[in-house]
Coordinates of all heavy atoms in Angstrom, one line a residue:
M1 N 121.9 101.7 93.0 CA 120.8 101.1 92.3 C 119.6 101.0 93.3 O 119.8 100.5 94.4 CB 121.0 99.9 91.6 CG 121.9 100.0 90.3 SD 120.9 100.7 89.0 CE 119.7 99.5 88.6
P2 N 118.4 101.4 92.9 CA 117.3 101.2 93.8 C 117.0 99.7 93.9 O 117.3 99.0 93.1 CB 116.2 102.0 93.0 CG 116.8 102.8 92.1 CD 118.1 102.3 91.7
L3 N 116.5 99.5 95.1 CA 116.0 98.0 95.3 C 114.6 98.0 95.1 O 113.9 99.0 95.2 CB 116.3 97.6 96.9 CG 117.9 97.8 97.2 CD1 118.1 97.7 98.7 CD2 118.8 96.9 96.5
P4 N 114.1 96.8 94.8 CA 112.6 96.7 94.6 C 111.7 96.9 95.8 O 112.1 96.3 97.0 CB 112.5 95.2 94.0 CG 113.7 94.5 94.3 CD 114.7 95.5 94.5
V5 N 110.8 97.8 95.7 CA 109.9 98.0 96.9 C 108.8 96.9 97.0 O 108.2 96.7 96.0 CB 109.3 99.4 96.8 CG1 108.4 99.6 98.0 CG2 110.5 100.5 96.7
P6 N 108.6 96.2 98.0 CA 107.6 95.3 98.1 C 106.2 95.9 98.0 O 106.0 96.9 98.6 CB 107.7 94.6 99.5 CG 108.9 95.1 100.0 CD 109.5 96.3 99.3
D7 N 105.3 95.4 97.2 CA 103.9 95.8 97.1 C 103.2 95.2 98.1 O 102.5 94.2 97.7 CB 103.5 95.6 95.6 CG 102.0 96.1 95.3 OD1 101.5 96.6 96.4 OD2 101.6 96.0 94.2
N8 N 103.0 95.6 99.3 CA 102.3 95.0 100.4 C 101.7 96.1 101.2 O 101.9 97.2 101.1 CB 103.2 94.0 101.1 CG 104.5 94.6 101.8 OD1 104.4 95.8 102.1 ND2 105.4 93.8 102.0
E9 N 101.1 95.6 102.2 CA 100.2 96.4 103.2 C 101.1 97.2 104.1 O 100.9 98.3 104.4 CB 99.2 95.5 104.1 CG 98.2 96.3 104.7 CD 97.6 97.4 103.8 OE1 97.0 97.1 102.7 OE2 97.6 98.5 104.4
E10 N 102.3 96.7 104.4 CA 103.3 97.3 105.2 C 103.8 98.6 104.4 O 103.9 99.7 104.9 CB 104.4 96.5 105.6 CG 105.4 96.9 106.6 CD 106.5 95.9 106.9 OE1 106.4 94.9 106.5 OE2 107.6 96.4 107.4
S11 N 104.2 98.4 103.1 CA 104.7 99.6 102.3 C 103.5 100.6 102.1 O 103.7 101.7 102.2 CB 105.0 99.0 101.0 OG 106.1 98.1 101.0
M12 N 102.2 100.0 102.0 CA 101.1 100.9 101.8 C 100.9 101.8 103.1 O 100.5 103.0 102.9 CB 99.9 100.2 101.5 CG 99.5 99.9 100.1 SD 99.4 101.6 99.2 CE 98.0 102.3 100.0
A13 N 101.1 101.2 104.1 CA 100.9 102.0 105.5 C 101.9 103.2 105.5 O 101.5 104.3 105.9 CB 101.0 101.0 106.6
V14 N 103.1 102.9 105.0 CA 104.1 104.0 105.0 C 103.7 105.0 103.9 O 103.8 106.3 104.2 CB 105.4 103.5 104.8 CG1 106.5 104.6 104.7 CG2 105.8 102.4 105.8
C15 N 103.3 104.5 102.7 CA 103.1 105.5 101.6 C 101.9 106.4 101.9 O 102.0 107.6 101.6 CB 102.7 104.6 100.4 SG 102.6 105.5 98.9
R16 N 100.9 105.9 102.6 CA 99.7 106.7 103.0 C 100.1 107.9 103.7 O 99.5 109.0 103.7 CB 98.8 105.9 103.8 CG 97.7 105.2 103.0 CD 96.6 104.5 104.0 NE 96.1 103.3 103.2 CZ 96.4 102.1 103.6 NH1 97.3 101.9 104.6 NH2 96.0 101.0 102.8
R17 N 101.2 107.8 104.5 CA 101.7 108.9 105.3 C 102.4 109.9 104.6 O 102.6 111.1 105.1 CB 102.7 108.5 106.4 CG 101.8 107.5 107.6 CD 102.8 107.0 108.6 NE 103.9 107.8 108.9 CZ 105.1 107.1 108.9 NH1 105.4 105.9 108.7 NH2 106.2 108.0 109.2
F18 N 102.8 109.6 103.3 CA 103.7 110.5 102.5 C 103.0 111.0 101.2 O 102.9 112.1 101.0 CB 105.0 110.0 102.3 CG 105.8 110.0 103.7 CD1 105.8 108.8 104.4 CD2 106.5 111.1 104.1 CE1 106.5 108.7 105.7 CE2 107.2 111.1 105.3 CZ 107.1 109.8 106.2
C19 N 102.6 110.0 100.3 CA 101.9 110.3 99.2 C 100.5 111.0 99.6 O 100.0 111.8 98.9 CB 101.5 109.0 98.4 SG 102.9 108.5 97.2
G20 N 99.8 110.5 100.8 CA 98.6 110.9 101.0 C 98.6 112.6 101.2 O 97.8 113.1 100.6
P21 N 99.4 113.1 102.0 CA 99.4 114.6 102.2 C 100.3 115.3 101.2 O 100.4 116.5 101.3 CB 100.1 114.8 103.6 CG 100.7 113.5 103.9 CD 100.2 112.5 103.1
C22 N 100.9 114.6 100.2 CA 101.8 115.2 99.2 C 101.0 116.2 98.5 O 99.7 116.0 98.1 CB 102.2 114.1 98.3 SG 102.7 114.8 96.6
P23 N 101.6 117.5 98.1 CA 100.9 118.5 97.5 C 100.2 118.2 96.0 O 99.4 118.8 95.6 CB 101.8 119.6 97.4 CG 103.2 119.0 97.7 CD 102.9 117.8 98.5
S24 N 100.9 117.1 95.5 CA 100.4 116.7 94.2 C 99.3 115.7 94.2 O 98.5 115.5 93.2 CB 101.6 116.1 93.3 OG 102.5 117.1 93.1
F25 N 99.2 115.0 95.3 CA 98.2 113.8 95.3 C 96.9 114.1 95.2 O 96.2 113.7 94.3 CB 98.6 113.0 96.6 CG 97.9 111.6 96.5 CD1 98.4 110.6 95.9 CD2 96.9 111.5 97.3 CE1 97.8 109.3 95.8 CE2 96.2 110.1 97.4 CZ 96.7 109.2 96.6
K26 N 96.3 114.9 96.2 CA 94.8 115.2 96.2 C 94.5 116.2 95.1 O 93.4 115.9 94.4 CB 94.5 115.8 97.6 CG 94.3 114.6 98.5 CD 93.5 115.1 99.9 CE 93.4 114.0 100.8 NZ 94.2 114.1 102.1
P27 N 95.2 117.3 94.8 CA 94.8 118.2 93.8 C 94.7 117.5 92.4 O 93.8 117.7 91.6 CB 95.9 119.2 93.8 CG 96.4 119.2 95.1 CD 96.3 117.7 95.5
N28 N 95.5 116.4 92.2 CA 95.4 115.7 91.0 C 94.5 114.5 91.0 O 94.3 113.7 90.1 CB 96.9 115.2 90.6 CG 97.5 116.3 90.0 OD1 97.3 117.0 89.1 ND2 98.7 116.7 90.7
K29 N 93.9 114.1 92.2 CA 92.9 113.1 92.3 C 93.6 111.7 92.0 O 93.0 110.9 91.3 CB 91.6 113.2 91.7 CG 90.8 114.5 92.1 CD 89.5 114.5 91.3 CE 88.5 115.4 92.0 NZ 88.7 116.8 92.0
L30 N 94.8 111.6 92.4 CA 95.6 110.3 91.9 C 95.0 109.1 92.5 O 95.2 108.1 92.0 CB 97.1 110.5 92.3 CG 97.8 111.6 91.5 CD1 99.3 111.6 91.8 CD2 97.6 111.6 90.0
N31 N 94.3 109.2 93.5 CA 93.6 108.1 94.3 C 92.5 107.5 93.4 O 92.1 106.4 93.5 CB 93.0 108.6 95.6 CG 92.0 109.7 95.5 OD1 92.4 110.7 94.9 ND2 90.9 109.6 96.2
E32 N 92.1 108.3 92.4 CA 91.0 107.8 91.6 C 91.4 107.0 90.4 O 90.7 106.5 89.5 CB 90.1 109.0 91.1 CG 89.4 109.5 92.2 CD 88.6 110.8 91.8 OE1 88.4 111.0 90.5 OE2 88.1 111.6 92.6
Y33 N 92.9 107.0 90.2 CA 93.3 106.2 89.0 C 94.3 105.0 89.5 O 95.0 105.2 90.6 CB 94.2 107.2 88.1 CG 93.4 108.3 87.5 CD1 93.0 109.3 88.3 CD2 92.9 108.1 86.3 CE1 92.3 110.4 87.8 CE2 92.1 109.2 85.7 CZ 91.8 110.3 86.4 OH 91.0 111.3 85.9
E34 N 94.4 104.0 88.8 CA 95.3 103.0 89.1 C 96.8 103.5 89.0 O 96.9 104.4 88.2 CB 95.2 101.9 88.2 CG 93.9 101.1 88.2 CD 93.8 100.0 89.4 OE1 94.8 99.7 89.8 OE2 92.6 99.8 89.8
P35 N 97.6 103.1 89.8 CA 97.6 102.1 90.9 C 97.2 102.7 92.2 O 97.5 102.0 93.3 CB 99.0 101.5 90.9 CG 99.9 102.6 90.5 CD 99.0 103.5 89.6
H36 N 96.6 103.9 92.4 CA 96.2 104.7 93.4 C 97.3 105.2 94.3 O 97.1 106.3 94.9 CB 95.3 103.8 94.3 CG 94.2 103.2 93.5 ND1 93.2 103.9 93.0 CD2 93.8 101.9 93.0 CE1 92.3 103.1 92.3 NE2 92.8 102.0 92.3
A37 N 98.3 104.5 94.7 CA 99.3 104.9 95.6 C 100.5 103.9 95.4 O 100.5 103.0 94.5 CB 99.0 105.0 96.9
L38 N 101.6 104.0 96.3 CA 102.7 103.2 96.1 C 103.3 103.0 94.9 O 103.7 102.0 94.3 CB 102.4 101.7 96.8 CG 103.5 100.9 97.3 CD1 104.3 101.6 98.3 CD2 102.9 99.5 97.8
F39 N 103.4 104.2 94.2 CA 103.8 104.4 92.8 C 105.3 103.8 92.6 O 105.8 103.4 91.6 CB 103.9 105.7 92.4 CG 102.5 106.2 92.6 CD1 102.2 107.2 93.6 CD2 101.4 106.1 91.7 CE1 100.9 107.7 93.8 CE2 100.2 106.6 91.9 CZ 99.8 107.4 93.0
C40 N 106.2 103.9 93.8 CA 107.6 103.4 93.6 C 107.6 102.0 93.4 O 108.6 101.3 92.9 CB 108.3 103.9 94.9 SG 107.7 103.2 96.5
A41 N 106.6 101.3 93.9 CA 106.6 99.8 93.7 C 105.7 99.4 92.4 O 106.0 98.6 91.7 CB 105.9 99.1 94.9
R42 N 104.6 100.1 92.2 CA 103.6 99.8 91.2 C 103.7 100.4 89.8 O 103.1 100.1 88.9 CB 102.2 100.0 91.7 CG 101.9 99.3 93.0 CD 100.6 99.7 93.7 NE 100.3 99.0 94.9 CZ 99.2 99.3 95.7 NH1 98.5 100.3 95.4 NH2 99.1 98.5 96.7
G43 N 104.5 101.5 89.9 CA 104.7 102.3 88.7 C 103.8 103.5 88.7 O 103.1 103.9 89.5
K44 N 104.0 104.3 87.6 CA 103.4 105.6 87.5 C 101.9 105.6 87.5 O 101.1 104.6 87.2 CB 103.8 106.3 86.3 CG 103.3 105.9 85.0 CD 103.9 106.7 83.8 CE 103.5 106.2 82.5 NZ 104.1 107.1 81.3
S45 N 101.2 106.7 87.7 CA 99.7 106.9 87.6 C 99.2 106.6 86.3 O 100.0 107.0 85.2 CB 99.3 108.2 88.2 OG 97.9 108.4 88.0
Q46 N 98.1 106.0 86.2 CA 97.5 105.8 84.9 C 96.7 107.1 84.4 O 96.2 107.1 83.2 CB 96.5 104.6 84.9 CG 97.2 103.3 85.1 CD 98.3 103.0 84.1 OE1 98.0 103.0 82.8 NE2 99.5 103.0 84.4
K47 N 96.5 108.0 85.2 CA 96.0 109.3 84.8 C 96.9 109.9 83.6 O 98.2 109.9 83.8 CB 95.9 110.4 86.0 CG 95.2 111.6 85.6 CD 95.1 112.5 86.7 CE 94.3 113.8 86.4 NZ 93.9 114.6 87.5
P48 N 96.4 110.4 82.6 CA 97.2 110.9 81.5 C 98.2 112.0 82.1 O 97.8 112.9 82.8 CB 96.2 111.7 80.5 CG 94.9 110.9 80.8 CD 95.0 110.5 82.2
M49 N 99.4 111.9 81.7 CA 100.5 112.8 82.3 C 100.2 114.2 82.0 O 100.6 115.2 82.8 CB 101.9 112.4 81.7 CG 102.4 111.1 82.4 SD 102.7 111.2 84.1 CE 101.9 109.8 84.7
S50 N 99.5 114.4 80.8 CA 99.3 115.8 80.5 C 98.3 116.4 81.3 O 98.1 117.6 81.3 CB 98.7 115.8 79.0 OG 97.5 115.0 78.9
E51 N 97.5 115.7 82.1 CA 96.5 116.2 83.0 C 97.0 116.3 84.5 O 96.2 116.7 85.4 CB 95.2 115.2 82.9 CG 94.6 115.3 81.7 CD 93.4 114.3 81.5 OE1 92.8 113.9 82.6 OE2 93.0 113.9 80.4
I52 N 98.2 116.0 84.8 CA 98.8 115.9 86.0 C 99.6 117.2 86.1 O 100.4 117.6 85.3 CB 99.5 114.7 86.3 CG1 98.8 113.5 86.4 CG2 100.3 114.8 87.7 CD1 99.6 112.1 86.7
E53 N 99.3 117.9 87.2 CA 100.1 119.1 87.6 C 101.1 118.9 88.6 O 100.7 118.4 89.7 CB 99.2 120.2 87.9 CG 99.9 121.6 87.8 CD 99.0 122.7 88.3 OE1 97.7 122.5 88.5 OE2 99.5 123.8 88.6
N54 N 102.4 119.1 88.4 CA 103.5 118.9 89.3 C 103.5 119.9 90.5 O 103.6 121.1 90.0 CB 104.8 118.8 88.6 CG 105.9 118.5 89.6 OD1 105.8 118.5 90.8 ND2 107.1 118.3 89.0
K55 N 103.1 119.5 91.6 CA 103.0 120.4 92.7 C 104.0 120.1 93.8 O 103.9 120.6 94.9 CB 101.6 120.5 93.3 CG 100.6 121.2 92.4 CD 99.2 121.0 93.0 CE 98.2 121.8 92.1 NZ 98.1 123.3 92.3
G56 N 104.9 119.2 93.5 CA 106.0 118.7 94.5 C 105.7 117.3 94.9 O 104.6 116.8 94.5
C57 N 106.7 116.7 95.5 CA 106.7 115.4 95.8 C 107.2 115.2 97.3 O 108.3 115.7 97.7 CB 107.6 114.5 94.8 SG 107.8 112.9 95.3
S58 N 106.5 114.2 98.0 CA 107.0 114.1 99.4 C 107.7 112.8 99.6 O 108.0 112.3 100.7 CB 105.6 114.0 100.3 OG 104.9 115.3 100.3
C59 N 108.0 112.0 98.5 CA 108.6 110.8 98.6 C 110.0 111.0 99.3 O 110.5 110.0 100.0 CB 109.1 110.3 97.3 SG 107.5 109.7 96.4
F60 N 110.6 112.2 99.2 CA 112.0 112.3 99.8 C 112.0 112.2 101.3 O 113.1 111.9 101.9 CB 112.6 113.7 99.4 CG 112.6 113.8 97.8 CD1 111.5 114.6 97.2 CD2 113.4 113.1 97.1 CE1 111.4 114.6 95.8 CE2 113.3 113.2 95.6 CZ 112.3 113.9 95.1
G61 N 110.9 112.4 101.9 CA 110.8 112.3 103.4 C 110.3 110.8 103.9 O 110.3 110.6 105.0
C62 N 109.9 110.0 102.9 CA 109.2 108.8 103.1 C 110.4 107.8 103.6 O 111.5 107.7 103.0 CB 108.7 108.3 101.8 SG 108.0 106.5 101.9
D63 N 110.1 107.1 104.6 CA 111.0 105.9 105.2 C 111.4 104.9 104.1 O 112.5 104.4 104.3 CB 110.3 105.2 106.3 CG 109.8 106.2 107.3 OD1 110.3 107.3 107.4 OD2 108.9 105.7 108.2
L64 N 110.6 104.7 103.1 CA 111.0 103.7 102.1 C 112.1 104.3 101.2 O 112.7 103.6 100.5 CB 109.8 103.1 101.3 CG 108.7 102.5 102.2 CD1 107.7 101.9 101.2 CD2 109.3 101.6 103.2
F65 N 112.2 105.6 101.1 CA 113.0 106.2 100.1 C 114.6 105.8 100.5 O 115.2 105.3 99.5 CB 112.8 107.8 100.1 CG 113.4 108.4 98.9 CD1 112.7 108.6 97.8 CD2 114.7 108.9 98.9 CE1 113.1 109.1 96.5 CE2 115.1 109.5 97.6 CZ 114.5 109.6 96.5
P66 N 115.0 106.1 101.6 CA 116.4 105.6 101.9 C 116.4 104.1 102.0 O 117.4 103.5 101.7 CB 116.8 106.3 103.2 CG 115.4 106.8 103.8 CD 114.4 106.9 102.7
K67 N 115.5 103.4 102.6 CA 115.5 102.0 102.9 C 115.8 101.2 101.7 O 116.5 100.2 101.5 CB 114.2 101.6 103.5 CG 114.1 100.1 103.9 CD 112.8 99.8 104.7 CE 112.9 98.3 105.0 NZ 111.5 97.9 105.8
Y68 N 115.1 101.6 100.5 CA 115.2 101.0 99.2 C 116.2 101.7 98.2 O 116.2 101.4 97.0 CB 114.0 100.7 98.6 CG 113.1 99.7 99.5 CD1 112.1 100.0 100.3 CD2 113.5 98.3 99.5 CE1 111.5 99.2 101.1 CE2 112.9 97.5 100.3 CZ 111.8 97.8 101.0 OH 111.1 96.9 102.0
Q69 N 116.9 102.7 98.8 CA 117.8 103.5 98.0 C 117.3 104.0 96.7 O 117.7 104.0 95.6 CB 119.0 102.5 97.6 CG 119.8 102.1 98.8 CD 120.8 101.0 98.5 OE1 121.4 100.9 97.4 NE2 121.1 100.0 99.4
L70 N 116.0 104.6 96.9 CA 115.2 105.1 95.8 C 115.9 106.4 95.3 O 116.6 107.1 96.1 CB 113.8 105.4 96.2 CG 113.0 104.1 96.8 CD1 111.7 104.5 97.1 CD2 113.1 102.9 95.7
E71 N 115.7 106.7 94.1 CA 116.1 107.9 93.5 C 115.2 108.7 92.8 O 114.1 108.2 92.3 CB 117.3 107.5 92.4 CG 118.4 106.8 93.1 CD 119.3 106.1 92.0 OE1 119.0 106.0 90.8 OE2 120.4 105.7 92.4
K72 N 115.3 110.1 92.6 CA 114.5 110.9 91.8 C 113.1 111.3 92.4 O 112.6 112.5 92.3 CB 114.3 110.4 90.4 CG 115.5 110.2 89.7 CD 115.3 109.7 88.2 CE 116.6 109.5 87.4 NZ 116.4 108.8 86.2
G73 N 112.4 110.4 93.0 CA 111.0 110.6 93.5 C 110.0 110.9 92.4 O 110.3 110.4 91.3
Y74 N 109.0 111.5 92.5 CA 107.9 111.7 91.5 C 107.5 110.4 90.8 O 107.4 110.4 89.6 CB 108.4 112.7 90.6 CG 108.6 114.0 91.1 CD1 109.8 114.6 91.7 CD2 107.5 115.0 91.2 CE1 110.1 115.7 92.2 CE2 107.7 116.3 91.8 CZ 109.0 116.6 92.3 OH 109.1 117.9 92.8
F75 N 107.5 109.3 91.6 CA 107.2 108.0 90.9 C 105.8 108.0 90.2 O 105.5 107.1 89.4 CB 107.3 106.9 92.0 CG 108.7 106.9 92.6 CD1 108.8 107.3 93.9 CD2 109.7 106.5 91.9 CE1 110.1 107.3 94.5 CE2 111.1 106.5 92.5 CZ 111.2 106.9 93.8
C76 N 104.9 108.8 90.7 CA 103.5 108.9 90.1 C 103.5 109.5 88.7 O 102.7 109.3 87.9 CB 102.5 109.4 90.9 SG 102.9 111.2 91.4
M77 N 104.6 110.3 88.6 CA 104.6 111.3 87.3 C 106.0 111.4 86.8 O 106.6 112.4 86.6 CB 103.9 112.6 87.5 CG 104.5 113.3 88.8 SD 103.9 115.0 88.8 CE 103.8 115.2 90.6
P78 N 106.7 110.3 86.4 CA 108.1 110.4 86.0 C 108.3 111.3 84.8 O 109.3 111.8 84.6 CB 108.5 108.9 85.8 CG 107.2 108.1 85.6 CD 106.2 108.8 86.4
D79 N 107.2 111.4 84.1 CA 107.3 112.2 82.8 C 107.4 113.7 83.0 O 107.5 114.4 82.1 CB 106.2 111.8 81.8 CG 105.9 110.3 81.6 OD1 106.5 109.5 82.3 OD2 105.1 109.9 80.7
K80 N 107.0 114.0 84.2 CA 106.8 115.4 84.5 C 108.1 116.0 85.2 O 108.0 117.2 85.5 CB 105.7 115.6 85.5 CG 104.3 115.1 85.1 CD 103.8 115.7 83.9 CE 103.0 117.0 84.3 NZ 102.2 117.6 83.1
I81 N 109.2 115.3 85.3 CA 110.4 115.8 85.9 C 111.5 115.8 84.9 O 111.4 115.3 83.9 CB 110.8 115.1 87.3 CG1 111.0 113.6 86.9 CG2 109.8 115.4 88.4 CD1 111.7 112.9 88.1
Ligands
LIG1 S1 108.6 106.6 98.2 FE1 106.9 107.8 97.6 S2 105.5 106.3 96.3 FE2 107.0 105.1 97.5 S3 106.0 104.6 99.4 FE3 107.1 106.4 99.8 S4 105.7 108.1 99.4 FE4 104.8 106.4 98.4
LIG2 S1 104.9 109.7 94.1 FE1 105.7 111.7 95.0 S2 104.6 113.3 93.8 FE2 103.5 111.4 93.5 S3 101.9 111.4 95.0 FE3 103.7 110.3 96.0 S4 104.7 111.8 97.2 FE4 103.5 112.9 95.6

């Protein structure tokens, strides 16, 4: 079972390194919608799922992924997988 990811600056610093350059993040302008990033802790993007294009996910390389036993990835767009 996944463990809860803390919503704090330390997690954000890691997330920036992976969600930031993720092929889906910038093209979909996910930074312009709540919760901006750290989707594994904060939940999916508030951008309408119909307007998000799945171009891949970099969560699988993120240090928090194994640390918190995360599963599936695509936390910003769970409806798209
Ligand atoms: S697992 Fe994904 S959403 Fe969570 S911190 Fe890492 S890159 Fe960001
Ligand atoms: S949660 Fe995954 S798909 Fe979404 S922006 Fe972060 S790395 Fe990309």
Side-chain angles (χ1 to χ4, degrees):
M1 282 292 287
L3 303 170
V5 177
D7 181 355
N8 59 23
E9 199 38 57
E10 192 182 342
S11 298
M12 263 308 293
V14 180
C15 190
R16 271 187 209 102
R17 291 172 33 225
F18 292 92
C19 276
C22 160
S24 295
F25 189 76
K26 281 201 180 104
N28 286 299
K29 297 186 162 70
L30 298 183
N31 54 312
E32 295 180 11
Y33 298 82
E34 295 283 336
H36 307 292
L38 200 53
F39 306 102
C40 59
R42 299 172 178 170
K44 68 182 183 179
S45 175
Q46 293 306 300
K47 183 170 181 176
M49 285 298 130
S50 59
E51 295 175 20
I52 297 180
E53 197 182 342
N54 181 348
K55 292 175 177 283
C57 176
S58 300
C59 288
F60 307 101
C62 172
D63 304 338
L64 302 190
F65 199 87
K67 182 173 180 184
Y68 294 103
Q69 300 169 30
L70 303 180
E71 296 167 351
K72 296 181 184 170
Y74 296 91
F75 301 107
C76 63
M77 50 170 146
D79 311 11
K80 306 291 278 190
I81 55 169

